[in-house]
């Protein structure tokens, strides 16, 4: 299975969407929306902002590994 490195994050506060390249060597715990400046954090049970708010889960989760 090929790992997808791009994910579109959607801000739950204002609905702004932006496609970002995910890091392959670390989890991203915080993400600031460039539209409303809300700082996103992972939801309970998720390891990173991509797993909570992205269209694609982070690379470790895609590979069925534990995240960070």
């Amino acid at each position: 299975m090929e790992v997808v490195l791009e994910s579109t994050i959607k801000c739950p506060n204002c609905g702004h969407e932006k496609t970002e390249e995910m890091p392959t060597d670390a989890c991203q715990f915080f993400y600031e929306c460039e539209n409303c400046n809300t700082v996103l954090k992972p939801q309970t049970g998720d390891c990173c902002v991509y797993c909570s708010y992205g269209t694609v889960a982070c690379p470790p989760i895609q590979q069925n590994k534990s995240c960070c």
Side-chain angles (χ1 to χ4, degrees):
M1 182 176 129
E2 186 176 329
V3 175
V4 177
L5 297 179
E6 286 191 348
S7 183
T8 301
I9 291 184
K10 182 176 182 179
C11 177
N13 188 50
C14 72
H16 180 73
E17 295 183 4
K18 185 171 183 189
T19 300
E20 299 280 5
E21 187 167 330
M22 295 182 280
T24 57
D25 59 348
C27 286
Q28 188 163 342
F29 295 107
F30 303 104
Y31 179 84
E32 184 175 351
C33 175
E34 68 181 17
N35 187 57
C36 70
N37 297 334
T38 297
V39 176
L40 305 181
K41 299 173 190 166
Q43 295 176 333
T44 303
D46 287 338
C47 63
C48 67
V49 293
Y50 292 105
C51 288
S52 293
Y53 305 104
T55 54
V56 178
C58 67
I61 296 300
Q62 291 180 51
Q63 296 172 317
N64 294 320
K65 298 178 182 175
S66 64
C67 186
C68 306

